[in-house]
């Protein structure tokens, strides 16, 4: 097949001409197909990426984006099709070969060694010298991280770092290897708006120097502002490849999910001013909370707030400023060094996790669904009863009741639209969006009075994000108090009744939603309290 034979699919929803193949294409994929048993993840995919361009790859969770990029980075081998780099056919048999071809991929689920330091992770596999001057390498990495606005301590152990900082390490690792083709999977999830602008400037500079960038993101506004071209996948096939010029979020969302997507969700008033004035509706009361991180350093430094029934308090901030420790302390996974946590008037600061699970109606959606929210080798049915397996009807006379467990799974699959054939399917076989729905189904069971939602839409497509947010708003309407923690500023502002901005373990300010602006909250997230007040 020649360049002239490559067909770009045009979808009538998007009124823009397709991008034709060009002889200046750095990357060209022809007929790439990948199957896992009877499931076809990539179905004869054609993709052309121009040299020096920033090319977006969009699609729902499970659409085949990650599989396609894993083929390009040597983790998977295609069952059919051919990869061309600079017009030459290549076989990418391993990640090492991909690196030698100048292909660097930053995965959504990180490829880091938690026991090693940042510097050790970045230089791992880059040289064969018998003597490694690690301190010199660390100085170079520190300078590079500062230049790209991705500050990180090169001597910190990766396993001690929050998720957002680990993502920065992945970005630096690819840049350190001077990748000519850079694949970025959700790279801005942990950056403030000013940092996003700086990072985009870096990407544009790389593109201007003929680096080729594939940008995978669920943030459609970022795709439209940064990328030159977008390819949309749905169910393993290319739906459209087109210019971003003139496109809208609604256009791209329809292509991704095949239906209209709501970007503005209905948020009716729930609690009355009288209830809030008298304090009768206070569900959670946190006072002067101090919590240490995994390295026994101060992560929270005197945080105080109240959360009402039927209210969403959003917590905005760059990842790594104490959000994880705040959520864990309220859920009982960390013991505060000072302060108090009161739920419905009862001091639960020292309560252990089993007591909280058995006696309190608290739902906790953790930031990492795979490491903290699910047991990946367990079935959907078993994951759904992790917090209730010892209680009736799932347990009787110390024996698990299979019929009740399976019936519960069937009901949850239907209620939460989990795309699975049965509850016996392992959660590891589900897409990220469906894994999150399993977590949601378990944590919202029993109508919890308090819901701690930590990064509830991280890595989810627009359809799954809409579903999660709609479910949480329904809980709010029921009267649940929700602590909504996210690094996605626009998401926090859209979902919250009040917005607390956290910086270096402290709440710099708590703003009413009508008075909060993206600019002011963004400055607070960066620690600039004086500029935010102007």
């Amino acid at each position: 097949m020649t360049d002239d034979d490559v067909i770009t699919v045009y979808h009538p929803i998007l009124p823009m001409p397709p991008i034709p193949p060009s002889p200046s294409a750095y990357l060209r994929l022809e007929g790439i197909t990948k199957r896992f048993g009877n499931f076809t993840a990539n179905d004869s995919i054609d993709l052309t990426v121009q040299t020096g361009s920033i090319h977006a790859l969009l699609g729902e969770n499970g659409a085949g984006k990650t599989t396609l990029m894993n083929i390009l980075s040597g983790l998977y081998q295609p069952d059919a099709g051919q990869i061309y780099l600079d017009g030459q056919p290549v076989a990418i048999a391993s990640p090492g070969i991909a690196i030698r071809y100048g292909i660097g991929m930053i995965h959504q689920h990180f490829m880091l060694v938690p026991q090693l330091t940042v510097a050790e992770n970045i230089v791992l596999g880059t040289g064969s010298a018998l003597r490694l001057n690690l301190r010199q390498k660390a100085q170079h990495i520190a300078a590079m991280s500062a230049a790209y606005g991705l500050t990180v301590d090169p001597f910190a152990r990766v396993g001690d770092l929050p998720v957002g900082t680990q993502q920065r390490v992945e970005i630096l690792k690819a840049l350190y290897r001077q990748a000519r083709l850079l694949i970025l999977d959700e790279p801005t999830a942990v950056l403030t708006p000013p940092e996003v602008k700086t990072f985009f400037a870096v990407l544009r500079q790389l593109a201007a120097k003929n680096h080729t960038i594939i940008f995978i993101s669920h943030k459609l506004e970022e795709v439209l502002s940064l990328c030159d071209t977008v390819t949309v996948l749905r169910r393993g096939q290319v739906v459209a490849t087109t210019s971003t010029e003139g496109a809208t979020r609604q256009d791209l969302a329809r292509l991704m999910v095949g239906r209209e997507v709501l970007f503005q969700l209905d948020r009716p008033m729930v609690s009355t001013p009288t209830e809030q004035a008298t304090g009768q509706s206070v569900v959670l009361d946190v006072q002067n909370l101090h919590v240490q991180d995994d390295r026994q350093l101060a992560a929270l430094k005197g945080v105080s707030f109240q959360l009402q029934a039927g209210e969403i308090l959003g917590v905005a901030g760059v990842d790594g400023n104490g959000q994880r420790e705040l959520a864990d302390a309220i859920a009982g996974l960390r013991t505060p060094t000072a302060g108090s946590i009161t739920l419905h008037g009862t001091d639960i600061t020292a309560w252990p996790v089993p007591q909280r699970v058995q006696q309190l109606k608290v739902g906790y959606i953790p930031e990492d669904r795979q490491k903290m929210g699910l047991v990946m080798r367990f079935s959907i049915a078993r994951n759904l009863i992790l917090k209730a397996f010892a209680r009736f009807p799932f347990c009787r006379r110390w024996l698990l009741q299979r019929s009740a467990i399976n019936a519960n799974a069937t009901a949850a699959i239907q209620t939460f639209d989990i795309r699975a054939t049965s509850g016996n399917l392992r959660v590891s076989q589900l897409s990220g969006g469906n894994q999150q729905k399993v977590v949601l189904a378990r944590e919202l069971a029993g109508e919890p009075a308090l819901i701690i939602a930590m990064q509830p839409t991280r890595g989810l497509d627009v359809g799954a994000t809409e579903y999660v947010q709609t479910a949480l708003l329904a809980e709010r309407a029921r009267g649940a108090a929700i602590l909504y923690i996210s690094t996605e500023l626009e998401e926090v502002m859209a979902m919250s009744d009040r917005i607390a901005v956290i910086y270096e373990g402290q709440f710099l300010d708590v703003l009413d939603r009508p008075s909060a602006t993206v600019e002011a909250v963004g400055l607070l997230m960066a620690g600039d309290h004086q500029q935010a007040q102007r």
Side-chain angles (χ1 to χ4, degrees):
M1 179 180 288
T2 65
D3 285 347
D4 293 333
D5 294 322
V6 178
I7 299 173
T8 302
V9 179
Y10 171 64
H11 197 285
I13 293 177
L14 205 58
M16 291 159 292
I19 299 297
S22 167
S24 65
Y26 178 68
L27 170 69
R28 185 157 53 89
L29 307 181
E30 285 188 359
I32 297 296
T33 299
K34 181 63 180 177
R35 301 181 184 90
F36 298 95
N38 295 326
F39 175 69
T40 301
N42 293 151
D43 187 2
S44 192
I45 288 180
D46 294 340
L47 175 67
T48 301
V49 182
Q50 308 298 321
T51 302
S53 70
I54 304 177
H55 192 116
L57 187 63
L58 296 180
E60 289 186 279
N61 295 108
K65 307 183 301 296
T66 300
T67 298
L68 186 64
M69 293 301 100
N70 282 340
I71 290 172
L72 188 56
S73 60
L75 288 171
Y76 295 157
Q77 299 304 305
D79 297 314
Q82 181 62 58
I83 300 172
Y84 295 87
L85 289 176
D86 263 346
Q88 300 298 315
V90 296
I92 305 175
S94 70
I97 292 175
I99 291 172
R100 286 199 291 272
Y101 276 123
I103 299 173
M105 181 170 179
I106 300 160
H107 294 267
Q108 182 176 333
H109 300 291
F110 309 134
M111 303 293 183
L112 299 170
V113 182
Q115 294 82 6
L116 299 182
T117 66
V118 169
E120 289 167 343
N121 268 279
I122 290 175
V123 304
L124 188 64
T126 59
S128 58
L130 295 176
R131 186 175 180 85
L132 177 65
N133 190 335
L134 191 58
R135 182 166 295 278
Q136 185 181 55
K137 298 285 187 182
Q139 291 174 349
H140 173 62
I141 290 166
M144 183 180 67
S145 68
Y148 284 109
L150 299 168
T151 305
V152 62
D153 179 5
F155 297 106
R157 195 173 72 96
V158 163
D160 295 332
L161 300 176
V163 172
T165 307
Q166 290 184 28
Q167 188 178 46
R168 297 182 189 183
V169 177
E170 283 280 23
I171 295 171
L172 289 169
K173 187 170 71 172
L175 295 174
Y176 184 83
R177 286 162 170 75
Q178 298 181 339
R180 188 175 171 193
L181 173 61
L182 189 62
I183 305 168
L184 303 173
D185 192 355
E186 302 288 347
T188 65
V190 297
L191 304 180
T192 64
E195 288 173 330
V196 169
K197 290 182 180 179
T198 301
F199 183 61
F200 281 5
V202 170
L203 295 184
R204 292 187 182 102
Q205 290 174 5
L206 290 171
K209 296 177 181 178
N210 280 335
H211 286 78
T212 303
I213 299 168
I214 297 178
F215 187 84
I216 304 172
S217 178
H218 295 120
K219 300 179 183 179
L220 301 185
E221 290 289 357
E222 290 185 358
V223 168
L224 293 172
S225 67
L226 174 69
C227 301
D228 309 300
T229 310
V230 56
T231 293
V232 182
L233 301 184
R234 193 195 309 158
R235 297 180 181 177
Q237 296 181 323
V238 174
V239 174
T241 295
T242 186
S243 169
T244 55
E245 185 177 355
T248 66
R249 287 198 306 167
Q250 288 74 17
D251 294 328
L252 297 181
R254 281 196 298 267
L255 286 172
M256 288 172 62
V257 302
R259 62 172 176 81
E260 292 289 342
V261 176
L262 296 176
F263 289 98
Q264 296 295 330
L265 301 176
D266 185 27
R267 300 175 59 261
M269 293 296 294
V270 179
S271 56
T272 66
T274 302
E275 289 176 323
Q276 294 194 17
T278 59
Q280 294 176 356
S281 63
V282 173
V283 174
L284 178 68
D285 187 359
V286 174
Q287 294 298 321
N288 195 33
L289 194 65
H290 291 256
V291 181
Q292 292 181 338
D293 60 17
D294 294 334
R295 294 172 292 174
Q296 306 304 309
L297 300 176
L300 289 183
K301 307 167 186 176
V303 169
S304 299
F305 66 92
Q306 288 186 333
L307 183 55
Q308 310 279 343
E311 179 191 31
I312 297 178
L313 175 64
V315 179
V318 179
D319 206 2
N321 277 278
Q323 297 98 317
R324 180 202 293 179
E325 290 78 9
L326 174 63
D328 284 353
I330 297 172
L333 301 179
R334 294 176 189 266
T335 302
T337 56
S340 64
I341 302 170
T342 303
L343 188 66
H344 283 308
T346 301
D347 190 333
I348 64 168
T349 310
W351 282 26
V353 173
Q355 185 179 6
R356 297 188 192 214
V357 171
Q358 293 170 12
Q359 298 186 30
L360 302 177
K361 287 189 173 183
V362 177
Y364 182 26
I365 303 168
E367 65 175 324
D368 192 324
R369 53 184 167 267
Q370 293 192 352
K371 292 182 180 179
M372 295 181 64
L374 299 166
V375 181
M376 298 301 290
R377 66 180 184 276
F378 279 12
S379 66
I380 296 171
R382 289 196 172 191
N383 272 281
L384 287 169
I385 64 165
L386 287 178
K387 297 173 72 172
F389 67 90
R391 300 198 298 269
F392 183 82
F394 307 122
C395 183
R396 194 173 184 180
R397 296 178 181 175
W398 305 102
L399 296 176
L400 292 176
Q401 303 300 301
R402 291 185 179 273
S403 59
I405 294 171
N406 291 335
N408 177 67
T410 300
I413 287 172
Q414 294 175 349
T415 302
F416 287 84
D417 190 29
I418 300 169
R419 307 293 175 85
T421 53
S422 79
N424 294 323
L425 195 70
R426 289 188 178 186
V427 293
S428 60
Q429 296 176 273
L430 301 177
S431 68
N434 285 298
Q435 289 175 2
Q436 192 73 337
K437 288 179 181 180
V438 174
V439 175
L440 223 67
R442 183 187 66 230
E443 297 304 316
L444 300 187
E447 297 187 343
L450 172 65
I451 300 169
I452 307 162
M454 179 73 178
Q455 306 283 13
T457 65
R458 170 172 275 170
L460 301 187
D461 60 66
V462 289
T465 294
E466 177 195 41
Y467 186 93
V468 170
Q469 292 178 342
T470 300
L472 291 175
L473 287 174
E475 294 297 309
R476 169 185 178 270
R478 178 181 58 77
I482 301 175
L483 186 66
Y484 195 99
I485 304 172
S486 177
T487 56
E488 304 291 345
L489 176 53
E490 291 185 358
E491 182 177 313
V492 171
M493 297 189 70
M495 289 290 292
S496 305
D497 299 293
R498 291 183 298 139
I499 301 168
V501 183
I502 191 169
Y503 179 75
E504 293 186 350
Q506 295 179 311
F507 279 4
L508 292 190
D509 206 346
V510 179
L511 309 170
D512 289 330
R513 179 173 173 265
S515 62
T517 65
V518 172
E519 292 76 14
V521 177
L523 288 168
L524 286 170
M525 288 170 62
D528 196 339
H529 197 284
Q530 293 181 344
Q531 287 290 334
Q533 291 179 325
R534 292 181 181 178

